[in-house]
Amino acid sequence: MSLAMKPRIKTTVLRLISIILSAVFVTADSAQLLDWTVSFSQRAPLGIPKQVIVINDQFPGPLLNATTNEVVNVNVHNNLTEPFLITWNGVQMRKNSWQDGVQGTNCPILPGQNWTYTFQLKDQIGSFFYFPSLLLQNAAGGYGPVRVNNREVIAVPFPQPRAEFDVLIGDWYNADYQDMRARLDGGSLLHLPDGILINGLGPSQATFDFEPGATYRLRISNVGLKTTLNFRIQGHQMQLVETEGSYTAKKYYDNLDVHVGQSYSVLVTAHNDESSGNTSYYMVASARFVPVKMLGIGIIRYSGYQGVPLAPLPMGPMLYDYIYSAEQAYSIRWDLAVGAARPNPQGSYRYGNIPINRTLVLSNGVGLINDTLRFTVNQISFSYPDTPLKLADYFQLSDVFMPGLIPNTPDYRRPELGVSVIDAVHREYVQVVFQNNMRFIQTWHADGYNFFVVGMGFGMWDESKMATYNMVDAISRSTVQVYPLSWTAILIMLDNQGMWNLRSQNAESRYLGQELYIRVKRVGQNDPSTISPWVESPIPKNVIKCGRAI
Ligand SMILES: *[C@@H]1O[C@H](CO)[C@@H](O)[C@H](O)[C@H]1NC(C)=O
Ligand SMILES: *[C@@H]1O[C@H](CO)[C@@H](O)[C@H](O)[C@H]1NC(C)=O
Ligand SMILES: *[C@@H]1O[C@H](CO)[C@@H](O)[C@H](O)[C@H]1NC(C)=O
Ligand SMILES: *[C@@H]1O[C@H](CO)[C@@H](O)[C@H](O)[C@H]1NC(C)=O
Ligand SMILES: *[C@@H]1O[C@H](CO)[C@@H](O)[C@H](O)[C@H]1NC(C)=O
């Protein structure tokens, strides 16, 4: 009798545990299982055939369309001839850097192998994208859009648009990405791109269907390697509503600078008068801050109209007008009155009142290391060890990286290779200043976090500049531009435990070493294998091991 009871008690206990667990972890409203095969395919977006990375035969790859709290499983099958990983640009992977898909957090999926990413979308809505993070593979495509939708109970601060479009814009090279990589390895920089693609298509190939009078949401991301693009639509204004998971103050723009790695949502309302029936309009993404004219062109068709739009193409700002660009950036503000993933308004988080614990000044540059051109942060050029940092940390392999190797402020040492990891305490509130000493624009992206873009200025940053910061309604985002010979300051609340990549989103600079990692953990937490799942997700059951982590 008592023996027969035992399994029942066991089930009850298990059930109880699972109830407790589901109450503590945000309950998963639903889950989706996606199966993605990554392979090469010959495509010729600009008329010249090239080996393109496609996902399920699509370029750009399929839309990842998910909702806050949803669990997403993506089984990625690597059918390339090289190792592969996807990273989710702007998706925060709360407490779960195990799923971040960069070389410092994951061992690669080897050719012929597959690996299932499993993550829950938490406390986040908005527009993002994914891309291949290894070996300059994003020069061959492999990217795609990510939408994180609001749960039904959460209000969206604008009327439901008639439809949504993902608009992936980016510079494009006709060269094979492996040849481009060899060029960088050989110490030369990339040429200018050959053109600009919209949704993987060349000039006038991408089309978007509007109905007169209806409003559409365009989710625009710059998925390119290094070129800032100015986005605009002939005869239409764009109302900016969201960027990288934050709702913006609703302002109208004729054109919008989208820097590499950035995402925006705009609402566009189609005209509705007697002349608006059978017409079409140009959509343009033009290269900024480069010495040549380069345009991506799409077409908006009213009621499916097939005819070409009337010339001329809409004009953008002057090619090198940095002031225009910086003033536009300054005009993009957080909407304090509305909620995002949660019902409480964004403005209830008063980021300007929190004492700053620490300042990091990250100065970027180039240098010759062992006679090879490398990009640096505070003179260190990141060089990957054979074991991902996250795994080295977990298995306590103490000699893979040495936190503190990279100085917190530039000390103008000789450039060197190194594994840059900055240690931070959970919930430290950090000011990061990106000092761009180069004559070209940069963008910086933080995995795992959004941050407040409180200030930008020309010249060298010093503490006196803090008096100029926007401490009220600065935008919160994950990717920010740094103008040439200028600085950008951000404030970041390090409340997401894990190993997080902070990178130049310029693919060339990053490939040549301009990135680092921030390790965020609690004080006194010494054995990573005993971390409670309340604090950080446990090592995935399907984790791939490599290097010295075996
Ligand atoms: C994305 O998901 C939302 C919420 O489930 C759904 O309403 C919408 O139709 C989906 N969009 C696409 C393009 O699948
Ligand atoms: C890619 O897929 C094809 C067809 O399924 C298969 O024959 C080939 O071995 C795969 N290649 C790799 C590297 O996995
Ligand atoms: C690989 O894919 C198979 C199904 O195709 C799946 O059962 C298995 O769990 C996947 N492996 C990993 C490590 O995700
Ligand atoms: C130059 O290369 C050698 C051998 O690869 C390496 O040991 C050394 O650290 C490198 N020098 C610098 C300055 O990184
Ligand atoms: C940050 O500074 C505040 C105010 O000085 C202090 O209360 C807090 O403990 C510090 N946090 C960390 C993580 O050091």
Side-chain angles (χ1 to χ4, degrees):
M1 187 66 184
S2 65
L3 278 180
M5 283 295 289
K6 268 184 183 158
R8 209 198 232 158
I9 294 170
K10 207 170 152 193
T11 352
T12 315
V13 171
L14 281 181
R15 198 172 292 153
L16 207 76
I17 290 176
S18 80
I19 288 169
I20 293 170
L21 284 183
S22 61
V24 168
F25 300 109
V26 187
T27 31
D29 290 348
S30 59
Q32 49 179 309
L33 176 56
L34 303 168
D35 224 30
W36 287 2
T37 300
V38 182
S39 44
F40 290 125
S41 173
Q42 288 287 320
R43 305 277 163 109
L46 294 180
I48 307 221
K50 157 161 174 167
Q51 177 171 259
V52 169
I53 295 178
V54 296
I55 300 182
N56 293 353
D57 221 28
Q58 299 171 44
F59 170 57
L63 165 67
L64 172 55
N65 184 43
T67 301
T68 312
N69 284 1
E70 197 171 23
V71 174
V72 175
N73 303 281
V74 192
N75 190 353
V76 176
H77 302 262
N78 180 4
N79 200 299
L80 307 178
T81 49
E82 292 184 334
F84 181 81
L85 282 174
I86 281 177
T87 191
W88 317 88
N89 205 72
V91 181
Q92 280 182 20
M93 303 292 158
R94 298 296 302 175
K95 303 177 185 176
N96 202 354
S97 55
W98 291 111
Q99 306 292 329
D100 200 31
V102 288
Q103 202 175 340
T105 60
N106 293 74
C107 296
I109 308 169
L110 296 177
Q113 305 285 303
N114 67 293
W115 189 67
T116 309
Y117 288 82
T118 298
F119 52 88
Q120 186 174 13
L121 297 154
K122 289 184 200 166
D123 272 356
Q124 205 180 10
I125 50 92
S127 311
F128 315 97
F129 67 95
Y130 59 83
F131 71 94
S133 67
L134 305 179
L135 296 165
L136 207 71
Q137 285 164 351
N138 53 337
Y143 48 72
V146 177
R147 300 181 195 170
V148 183
N149 304 294
N150 301 59
R151 288 180 291 144
E152 255 172 41
V153 295
I154 300 291
V156 178
F158 45 83
Q160 173 80 19
R162 176 74 60 90
E164 303 194 6
F165 295 103
D166 304 296
V167 186
L168 302 186
I169 56 179
D171 54 16
W172 185 254
Y173 290 78
N174 288 328
D176 188 88
Y177 79 97
Q178 288 166 331
D179 295 339
M180 293 166 69
R181 205 165 71 204
R183 189 177 162 85
L184 295 180
D185 289 335
S188 306
L189 296 180
L190 299 178
H191 295 295
L192 283 172
D194 294 297
I196 310 296
L197 304 188
I198 298 182
N199 287 347
L201 298 166
S204 300
Q205 298 301 301
T207 55
F208 303 84
D209 285 325
F210 281 16
E211 289 304 323
T215 298
Y216 298 88
R217 179 176 184 170
L218 272 55
R219 296 176 184 255
I220 309 151
S221 295
N222 186 336
V223 296
L225 299 192
K226 55 186 285 188
T227 314
T228 295
L229 299 175
N230 182 269
F231 184 84
R232 52 196 186 269
I233 298 174
Q234 187 183 28
H236 294 70
Q237 286 208 314
M238 302 178 285
Q239 187 184 32
L240 183 65
V241 292
E242 180 257 342
T243 178
E244 297 158 22
S246 294
Y247 288 124
T248 60
K250 297 181 190 64
K251 288 182 193 155
Y252 286 90
Y253 293 87
D254 291 327
N255 64 75
L256 202 53
D257 273 351
V258 189
H259 303 280
V260 172
Q262 292 185 328
S263 301
Y264 286 105
S265 284
V266 296
L267 299 181
V268 181
T269 299
H271 302 302
N272 198 7
D273 47 46
E274 54 286 19
S275 64
S276 62
N278 288 334
T279 44
S280 58
Y281 295 91
Y282 285 118
M283 170 191 286
V284 170
S286 64
R288 298 276 272 141
F289 320 131
V290 290
V292 296
K293 196 170 163 187
M294 254 186 290
L295 295 177
I297 300 174
I299 296 183
I300 289 176
R301 310 186 298 196
Y302 274 37
S303 310
Y305 177 68
Q306 303 287 322
V308 289
L310 293 173
L313 292 167
M315 292 276 287
M318 307 269 292
L319 267 185
Y320 282 97
D321 195 344
Y322 289 109
I323 306 280
Y324 178 94
S325 184
E327 279 176 354
Q328 184 178 78
Y330 188 67
S331 76
I332 298 172
R333 302 296 175 90
W334 217 29
D335 188 340
L336 301 182
V338 304
R342 292 180 189 228
N344 49 319
Q346 293 181 152
S348 62
Y349 186 77
R350 297 185 200 285
Y351 70 89
N353 294 352
I354 306 170
I356 295 169
N357 296 98
R358 179 148 64 126
T359 295
L360 301 171
V361 179
L362 302 178
S363 165
N364 53 33
V366 281
L368 283 179
I369 302 177
N370 277 347
D371 294 328
T372 309
L373 185 70
R374 298 282 304 189
F375 284 76
T376 58
V377 184
N378 288 354
Q379 303 291 86
I380 313 278
S381 185
F382 196 93
S383 147
Y384 276 101
D386 62 351
T387 310
L389 313 178
K390 185 70 191 150
L391 283 159
D393 203 26
Y394 183 82
F395 291 107
Q396 302 188 57
L397 309 173
S398 58
D399 50 354
V400 173
F401 63 93
M402 207 175 58
L405 171 79
I406 176 168
N408 288 345
T409 50
D411 59 4
Y412 305 104
R413 63 181 76 184
R414 282 184 49 202
E416 56 182 314
L417 296 177
V419 185
S420 300
V421 177
I422 293 177
D423 259 342
V425 178
H426 184 252
R427 294 197 61 81
E428 229 184 319
Y429 194 44
V430 179
Q431 165 173 230
V432 182
V433 179
F434 298 106
Q435 179 73 53
N436 183 4
N437 301 323
M438 316 295 298
R439 292 180 179 279
F440 59 86
I441 192 165
Q442 289 256 320
T443 46
W444 281 86
H445 172 86
D447 279 357
Y449 290 97
N450 266 25
F451 46 69
F452 293 94
V453 182
V454 290
M456 288 182 186
F458 293 104
M460 292 293 279
W461 179 87
D462 61 52
E463 281 194 9
S464 71
K465 304 292 193 297
M466 293 173 74
T468 68
Y469 287 179
N470 176 355
M471 296 300 254
V472 179
D473 62 351
I475 193 68
S476 164
R477 64 187 317 164
S478 59
T479 312
V480 71
Q481 72 273 26
V482 194
Y483 293 100
L485 307 175
S486 299
W487 54 270
T488 293
I490 63 168
L491 295 178
I492 182 167
M493 173 55 81
L494 297 175
D495 60 359
N496 190 13
Q497 176 150 321
M499 181 73 76
W500 300 109
N501 188 215
L502 183 62
R503 60 172 171 267
S504 167
Q505 193 72 24
N506 175 320
E508 176 179 61
S509 313
R510 173 169 175 248
Y511 183 80
L512 292 175
Q514 210 156 57
E515 62 180 328
L516 54 98
Y517 285 80
I518 300 186
R519 178 170 65 174
V520 180
K521 61 173 190 172
R522 263 84 168 168
V523 184
Q525 187 175 82
N526 296 319
D527 182 356
S529 64
T530 62
I531 295 175
S532 129
W534 276 257
V535 167
E536 188 176 349
S537 295
I539 186 168
K541 288 198 183 68
N542 63 354
V543 71
I544 306 174
K545 293 178 183 167
C546 59
R548 293 176 46 213
I550 39 170

